[in-house]
């Protein structure tokens, strides 16, 4: 007697993002084992990320190097200018990259950090005299060459710089990892007069010793990130009288470029994953949860093997925090709109993007640095090339891991994916050999009333939905279902996957 | 004024009372006058009374001279006696503590005073003088070293509390995570460190001023003590002098009595001398009057010899001869 097909509907699969921490068998199908080049879209579905469109046309000064940092200069007069770093140069412009490196100023590293402060943009890198640009001067110059500059010595050639509370703050020097210097009020080139000063926190570290990695300002606090601890000072508006407000031991920051402000919190990458400063302070007497708790091991492995740069970006428009391990060409995309039950952000992974830097412009545009110059995070191609979207579910047992499951059909429901070739994949019992069913989504071009009425399309309601039914083969006790598609100009969201299977005998 | 006795007229006293004849003209008149006078004087009733009267007058004159000489001699003898009677009589004073005051008259007549203290007083005086010298010596020293010493003592008293305050500030700053803070606005320190160091410096400055004032006060005190010791060193001498006051009063009383006695002696003696002088003067006057009378009788024209007899009788009574 024929058995009835059992339907397992994976609604909004992977809308909780990747989870590589929990046992695959016990996982919620809402997680994904793999979610590459994906984001959580506005409806909570896993979807293909946007691509990037290179806006640089002339990148001679960059050579074969990549853009290592990008920053938009803005002043009160409304003047703006995009500065970037690459090929051991200070570069300006977006379409045509221009070398702005001061004459007779030799640069051999591209780990600059740029901050806007009082109508100027400052460039800081460890061991290098800081540089400064303003619209009136029109060129990047050394800080000591500014009229009235004082105290610009090698002791303050820091790797980290923060513009906050009316001052520039710098730390992380060649031989001094515990001192913070700040400039005179609103005078970024005066580091020895007025109300400038310094703070040696070597006696303040809760663990006895640490090294300053990053600085941040949040909620009236000056936050000093060590490698393994955090110190927060209050009253930094008047540094001479600021006092220690809090310390956190055991949690530090890996790299200054992982610190991002979300408006209500400060995100940073610690040695155990992505952390929130607010939650860290709040939970310091309790087990501290991680915002990357679903991929903790992956993150730790990535940061331990990273030997180039960390880069990050926060985009409130896209609702994500990007963390890129430049040397591994891996980016983790954390959806900051909500958290899962364990307090972690939903996370997806972007691989082989070639993204090496980010900045968010005032208008919300996310600029991306690559070896091709400066791009915008827009569209659904990587500068005209397709990229592969991947989704793989965790191992599914359909509630009974002791019985054999015989897949009969797979019915994915996709949104968008115009003309995309989609590969449905499945495998049994944790084996890495996948069976594949390929199909091509039809023309999904939308036809809007008044625009395409009399052409070849019919009226549609926006992004079109495509549902297919694919025959599957094989059997096993656990099943992994995957979907891959080359994104080449159209968005793709995975609405659901309906898995039809026969439940077999006990093994 | 007319000279009643023609004293000063070359004709001498023998001519006293004689009328002056009008001068005759030419030398022959004067010689005639002398010849007539000679003739007159050579008359027996004129010559004897005249001679006797002249002798008596001369005697009276001589006695008057003797009376003055005797009065002078007596006065000189009296003065010598009174000098001896009123001469200073030396005396000595010895106090109960053994100090002594002695007086003596030098051969030159000066009065010499000597004072001496007892051995105990001398020892005390030496000690006090030594102390005064020491205090004055200290008062004359520059105050710099003393100021420094006082300052160090004041700072030594202040330092423990300052150290406690420093430690408290250090702990407070450590608790506030401000140990390593440095601000250019506060000279490379922090507001509380600057305030603390300012307070310490103020205390140090006050200590400096206090040390200067104290050193100067001590200098004044040393000088005052020196003066006190010096004054106390002279105290035995002052006490000795004070102790001589009663003796001096007694000596003065003695001197006063001595002077009064000498005065009484002199007055009594002078009274005797005066009485003697008066008597001698009266005798001389009488003798002189007798002589004068005789001379007047001799030189007065008369008709009998009774005058001569009276003159002789008067001269005899004047000379103590006869009746």
């Amino acid at each position: 007697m024929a058995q009835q097909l059992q339907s397992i509907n994976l609604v909004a699969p992977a809308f909780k993002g990747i989870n590589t921490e929990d046992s695959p068998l016990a996982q919620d199908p809402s997680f994904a084992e793999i979610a590459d080049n994906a984001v959580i879209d506005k409806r909570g579905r896993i979807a293909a990320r946007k691509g990037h469109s290179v806006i640089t046309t002339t990148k001679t000064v960059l050579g074969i190097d990549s853009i290592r940092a990008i920053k938009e200069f803005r002043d009160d007069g409304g003047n703006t200018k995009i500065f970037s770093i690459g090929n051991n140069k200070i570069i300006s412009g977006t379409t045509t990259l221009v070398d702005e490196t001061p004459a007779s100023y030799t640069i051999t590293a591209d780990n600059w950090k740029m901050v806007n402060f009082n109508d100027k943009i400052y460039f800081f890198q460890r061991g290098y005299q800081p540089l400064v640009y303003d619209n009136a001067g029109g060129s990047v110059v050394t800080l000591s060459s500014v009229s009235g500059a004082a105290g610009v010595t090698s002791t303050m050639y820091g790797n980290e710089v923060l513009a906050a509370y009316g001052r520039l703050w710098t730390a992380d020097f060649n031989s001094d990892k515990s001192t913070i210097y700040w400039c005179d009020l609103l005078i970024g080139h005066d580091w020895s007069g007025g109300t400038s000063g310094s703070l040696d926190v070597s006696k303040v570290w809760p663990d006895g010793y640490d090294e300053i990695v990053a600085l941040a300002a949040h909620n009236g606090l000056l936050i000093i990130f060590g490698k393994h601890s955090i110190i927060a000072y209050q009253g930094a508006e008047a540094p001479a009288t600021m006092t220690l407000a809090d310390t956190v031991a055991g949690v530090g920051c890996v790299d200054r470029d992982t610190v991002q402000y979300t408006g209500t919190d400060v995100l940073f990458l610690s040695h155990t994953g992505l952390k929130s400063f607010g939650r860290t302070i709040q939970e310091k007497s309790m087990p501290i949860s991680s915002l990357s708790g679903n991929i903790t091991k992956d993150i730790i492995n990535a940061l331990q093997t990273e030997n180039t740069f960390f880069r990050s970006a926060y985009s409130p428009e896209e609702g994500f925090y990007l963390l890129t391990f430049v040397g591994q060409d891996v980016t983790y995309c954390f959806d900051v709109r909500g958290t899962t039950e364990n307090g972690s952000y939903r996370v997806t992974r972007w691989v082989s993007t070639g993204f090496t830097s980010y900045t968010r412009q005032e208008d919300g545009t996310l600029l991306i640095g690559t070896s091709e110059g400066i791009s915008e995070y827009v569209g659904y191609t990587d500068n005209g090339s397709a990229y592969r979207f991947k989704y793989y579910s965790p191992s599914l047992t359909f509630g009974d891991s002791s019985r054999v499951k015989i897949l009969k059909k797979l019915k994915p429901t996709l949104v968008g994916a115009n003309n995309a070739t989609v590969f449905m994949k499945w495998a049994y019992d944790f084996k890495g050999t996948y069976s594949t069913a390929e199909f091509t989504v039809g023309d999904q071009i939308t036809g809007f009333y008044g625009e395409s009425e009399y052409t070849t399309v019919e009226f549609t309601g926006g992004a079109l939905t495509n549902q297919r039914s694919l025959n599957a083969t094989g059997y096993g006790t656990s099943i992994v279902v995957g979907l891959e598609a080359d994104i080449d100009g159209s968005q793709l969201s995975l609405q659901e996957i309906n898995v039809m299977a026969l439940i077999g005998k006990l093994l | 004024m007319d000279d009643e006795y023609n004293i000063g007229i070359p004709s001498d006293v023998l001519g006293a009372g004689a009328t002056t004849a009008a001068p005759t003209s030419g030398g022959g008149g004067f010689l005639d006058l002398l010849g007539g006078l000679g003739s007159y004087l050579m008359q027996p009733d004129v010559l004897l009374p005249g001679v006797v009267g002249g002798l008596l007058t001369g005697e009276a004159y001589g006695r008057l001279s003797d009376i003055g000489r005797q009065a002078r001699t007596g006065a000189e003898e009296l003065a010598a006696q009174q000098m001896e009677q009123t001469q200073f009589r030396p005396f000595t004073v010895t106090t109960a503590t053994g100090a002594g005051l002695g007086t003596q008259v030098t051969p030159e007549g000066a009065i010499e005073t000597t004072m001496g203290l007892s051995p105990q007083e001398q020892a005390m005086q030496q000690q006090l003088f030594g102390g005064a010298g020491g205090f004055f010596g200290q008062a004359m020293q520059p105050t710099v070293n003393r100021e420094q010493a006082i300052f160090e003592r004041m700072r030594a008293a202040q330092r423990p509390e300052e150290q406690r305050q420093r430690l408290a500030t250090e702990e407070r700053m450590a608790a506030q995570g401000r140990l390593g803070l440095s601000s250019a606005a506060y000279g490379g320190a922090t507001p509380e460190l600057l305030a603390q160091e300012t307070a310490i410096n103020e205390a140090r400055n006050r200590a400096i001023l206090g040390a200067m004032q104290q050193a100067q006060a001590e200098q004044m005190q040393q000088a005052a003590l020196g003066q006190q010791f010096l004054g106390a060193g002279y105290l035995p001498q002052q006490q000795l002098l004070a102790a001589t006051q009663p003796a001096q009063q007694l000596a003065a009383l003695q001197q006063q009595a001595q002077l009064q006695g000498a005065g009484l002696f002199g007055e009594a003696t002078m009274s005797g001398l005066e009485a003697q002088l008066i008597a001698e003067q009266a005798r001389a006057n009488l003798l002189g009057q007798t002589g004068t009378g005789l001379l007047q009788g001799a030189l007065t024209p008369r008709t009998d010899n009774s005058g001569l007899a009276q003159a002789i009788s008067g001269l005899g009574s004047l000379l103590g001869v006869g009746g």
Side-chain angles (χ1 to χ4, degrees):
Chain A
M1 178 180 160
Q3 288 187 326
Q4 185 179 359
L5 283 175
Q6 187 166 343
S7 174
I8 303 169
N9 197 12
L10 303 179
V11 179
F15 80 93
K16 291 181 179 177
I18 302 170
N19 188 337
T20 58
E21 292 295 303
D22 294 336
S23 167
L25 286 177
Q27 270 191 21
D28 183 344
S30 299
F31 285 111
E33 188 71 16
I34 295 173
D36 283 352
N37 290 324
V39 294
I40 308 298
D41 71 7
K42 61 184 178 182
R43 292 187 180 275
R45 302 169 301 206
I46 188 168
R49 65 166 172 84
K50 289 180 182 175
H52 70 96
S53 174
V54 176
I55 55 178
T56 299
T57 56
T58 304
K59 66 176 196 77
T60 307
V61 299
L62 186 59
I64 60 171
D65 203 355
S66 299
I67 298 292
R68 300 297 181 180
I70 312 172
K71 186 71 177 179
E72 183 184 31
F73 161 72
R74 298 184 69 89
D75 65 14
D76 283 346
N79 302 298
T80 63
K81 192 171 188 177
I82 299 296
F83 283 96
S84 57
I85 305 296
N87 196 24
N88 295 329
K89 292 181 176 66
I90 307 293
I91 299 168
S92 69
T94 54
T95 54
T96 299
L97 302 184
V98 178
D99 187 0
E100 295 274 359
T101 309
S104 303
Y105 190 87
T106 304
I107 301 172
T108 58
D110 285 328
N111 197 25
W112 293 94
K113 182 174 180 180
M114 295 168 279
V115 292
N116 280 303
F117 175 66
N118 200 17
D119 291 343
K120 296 180 177 65
I121 185 169
Y122 292 85
F123 304 74
F124 276 70
Q125 181 176 202
R126 184 188 300 114
Y128 287 86
Q129 182 180 159
L131 304 173
V132 60
Y133 169 87
D134 65 2
N135 192 63
S139 61
V140 177
V141 297
T142 57
L143 195 58
S144 63
S145 68
V146 177
S147 176
V152 182
T153 62
S154 59
T155 55
M156 51 75 67
Y157 293 172
N159 200 49
E160 167 65 319
V161 62
L162 169 71
Y165 307 122
R167 301 170 193 279
L168 286 179
W169 309 71
T170 185
D172 189 6
F173 311 101
N174 267 331
S175 58
D176 185 353
K177 302 294 185 182
S178 295
T179 301
I180 302 157
Y181 290 91
W182 58 86
C183 70
D184 193 9
L185 187 66
L186 298 176
I187 306 174
H189 52 265
D190 186 356
W191 293 81
S192 63
T195 53
S196 64
S198 65
L199 174 64
D200 181 359
V201 296
S202 60
K203 307 295 188 298
V204 185
W205 295 117
D207 288 342
Y209 177 78
D210 207 339
E211 297 178 0
I212 297 174
V213 173
L215 302 172
H218 175 66
N219 201 20
L221 300 173
L222 173 67
I223 305 164
I224 302 166
F225 291 99
K227 286 183 175 177
H228 304 99
S229 41
I230 302 170
I231 300 168
Y233 278 82
Q234 60 188 2
E237 298 87 350
T241 57
M242 64 182 179
T243 57
L244 185 66
D246 214 333
T247 61
V248 178
V251 177
C253 182
V254 171
D255 188 272
R256 63 158 202 219
D257 291 316
T258 66
V259 177
Q260 292 293 334
Y261 300 94
T262 63
T264 56
D265 209 340
V266 179
L267 303 181
F268 62 97
L269 180 64
S270 76
H271 284 90
T272 55
L274 186 66
K275 302 286 183 182
S276 150
F277 173 73
R279 194 181 299 183
T280 300
I281 292 293
Q282 191 177 25
E283 298 177 351
K284 66 177 185 175
S285 59
M286 297 181 288
I288 296 175
S289 61
S290 172
L291 296 174
S292 59
N294 294 332
I295 55 166
T296 299
K297 288 293 191 301
D298 292 345
I299 285 279
I300 292 173
N301 182 62
L303 66 88
Q304 285 178 339
T305 54
E306 180 57 42
N307 55 11
T308 309
F309 295 123
F310 297 88
R311 292 291 183 263
S312 65
Y314 169 71
S315 173
E317 291 79 12
E318 301 292 339
F320 59 52
Y321 166 86
L322 299 179
L323 175 62
T324 298
F325 298 87
V326 176
Q328 301 164 63
D329 198 6
V330 172
T331 299
Y332 286 95
C333 174
F334 295 87
D335 184 272
V336 299
R337 291 171 297 176
T339 59
T340 59
E341 292 85 346
N342 64 359
S344 299
Y345 284 146
R346 296 177 294 183
V347 60
T348 56
R349 187 178 66 169
W350 301 357
V351 294
S352 301
T353 58
F355 297 166
T356 54
S357 57
Y358 309 94
T359 195
R360 176 186 170 273
Q361 291 183 276
E362 286 295 310
D363 61 1
T365 303
L366 182 63
L367 295 182
I368 300 172
T370 66
S371 60
E372 297 166 294
I374 297 174
S375 306
E376 288 184 7
Y377 181 69
V378 66
Y380 285 94
T381 63
D382 278 350
N383 198 29
S385 300
Y387 53 93
R388 177 62 64 94
F389 165 80
K390 291 182 180 178
Y391 159 74
Y392 285 87
S393 73
S395 293
L396 305 172
T397 60
F398 300 98
D400 188 353
S401 59
S402 61
R403 290 182 178 273
V404 172
K405 288 87 182 179
I406 306 167
L407 276 183
K408 290 299 183 181
K409 286 187 180 298
L410 294 171
K411 293 183 176 180
T413 301
L414 305 176
V415 178
N418 179 45
N419 285 329
T421 299
V422 178
F423 305 91
M424 281 302 300
K425 294 175 177 286
W426 64 94
Y428 295 98
D429 299 335
F430 310 106
K431 293 174 183 174
T433 53
Y434 286 90
S435 300
T436 302
E438 177 183 340
F439 67 94
T440 302
V441 178
D443 190 353
Q444 298 291 309
I445 297 174
T446 54
F448 294 105
Y449 180 80
E451 293 181 356
S452 307
E453 184 178 5
Y454 301 105
T455 59
T456 59
V457 299
E458 295 181 350
F459 304 142
T460 64
L464 300 179
T465 301
N466 188 283
Q467 190 172 36
R468 291 298 179 98
S469 178
L470 305 172
N471 293 325
T473 59
Y475 61 89
T477 57
S478 66
I479 303 169
V480 171
V481 178
L483 185 149
E484 296 186 10
D486 286 331
I487 307 302
D488 192 9
S490 295
Q491 66 173 349
L492 185 155
S493 297
L494 182 55
Q495 180 66 42
E496 66 176 6
I497 298 176
N498 201 345
V499 180
M500 310 294 286
L502 286 174
I503 304 300
K505 62 181 181 181
L506 286 171
L507 288 179
Chain B
M1 181 178 178
D2 296 334
D3 190 351
E4 185 178 359
Y5 300 104
N6 297 325
I7 297 173
I9 297 175
S11 57
D12 205 350
V13 293
L14 292 177
T19 56
T20 303
T24 58
S25 60
F30 183 71
L31 293 176
D32 292 340
L33 179 59
L34 289 176
L37 184 58
S39 299
Y40 176 76
L41 291 177
M42 290 306 293
Q43 296 176 24
D45 55 347
V46 174
L47 179 60
L48 185 59
V51 171
V52 174
L55 291 172
L56 289 176
T57 301
E59 180 64 22
Y61 183 80
R63 286 193 178 187
L64 283 175
S65 296
D66 291 341
I67 289 169
R69 194 175 301 113
Q70 287 174 3
R72 179 178 178 180
T73 302
E76 286 177 355
E77 289 175 352
L78 176 60
Q81 285 183 350
Q82 285 185 318
M83 280 291 290
E84 188 176 356
Q85 289 170 350
T86 59
Q87 192 153 16
F88 175 77
R89 287 185 170 78
F91 64 93
T92 61
V93 176
T94 301
T95 68
T97 57
L101 171 71
T103 56
Q104 61 182 3
V105 180
T106 64
E108 293 78 16
I111 298 174
E112 188 177 75
T113 303
T114 58
M115 289 186 286
L117 300 176
S118 68
Q120 291 83 359
E121 288 173 332
Q122 285 183 351
M124 179 63 74
Q125 190 178 49
Q126 292 297 324
Q127 188 176 0
L128 290 170
F129 281 170
F135 285 127
F136 282 132
Q138 291 176 9
M140 292 167 65
Q141 292 296 320
T143 59
V144 177
N145 292 336
R146 182 57 184 157
E147 288 172 12
Q148 185 65 33
I150 295 171
F151 173 74
E152 287 300 330
R153 292 182 67 176
M154 294 175 73
R155 293 295 299 149
Q158 292 170 343
R159 279 192 191 99
E161 178 59 21
E162 290 176 358
Q163 185 64 14
R164 280 190 289 273
Q165 292 296 329
R166 277 197 177 101
L167 291 173
T169 301
E170 184 181 16
E171 289 180 352
R172 194 162 50 247
M173 290 184 69
Q176 295 175 341
R178 294 166 51 76
L179 271 186
L181 202 146
S182 170
S183 174
Y186 296 93
T190 62
E192 60 265 50
L193 279 180
L194 180 64
Q196 187 176 54
E197 291 306 315
T198 301
I200 291 173
N201 283 331
E202 286 176 357
R204 183 180 289 120
N205 292 338
R206 283 196 298 271
I208 291 172
L209 291 176
M212 292 172 65
Q213 292 172 351
Q214 179 64 24
Q216 291 170 358
E218 288 184 1
Q219 190 179 34
M220 294 291 292
Q221 190 178 24
Q222 299 288 351
L225 284 171
Q227 287 182 339
Q228 288 182 7
F229 272 55
L230 185 62
Y234 283 107
L235 192 58
Q237 187 174 335
Q238 291 173 356
Q239 292 301 318
L240 172 61
L241 291 174
T244 62
Q245 289 298 323
Q248 288 178 3
Q249 290 176 359
L250 292 173
L253 288 174
Q254 182 191 16
Q255 184 72 15
Q256 188 175 1
Q258 192 175 334
L259 291 174
Q260 285 181 348
L264 292 173
F265 172 77
E267 287 176 2
T269 305
M270 285 302 295
S271 297
L273 284 174
E274 285 176 1
Q276 184 180 357
L277 286 173
I278 291 170
E280 290 296 335
Q281 190 177 12
R283 289 177 66 188
N285 287 340
L286 181 60
L287 188 59
Q289 288 172 357
T290 304
T292 301
L294 289 175
L295 284 174
Q296 283 180 342
L299 295 176
T300 302
R302 58 185 187 262
T303 57
D304 55 18
N305 293 327
S306 61
L308 178 59
Q310 289 175 351
I312 293 169
S313 176
L315 182 61
S317 64
L318 184 61
L319 297 175
V321 183

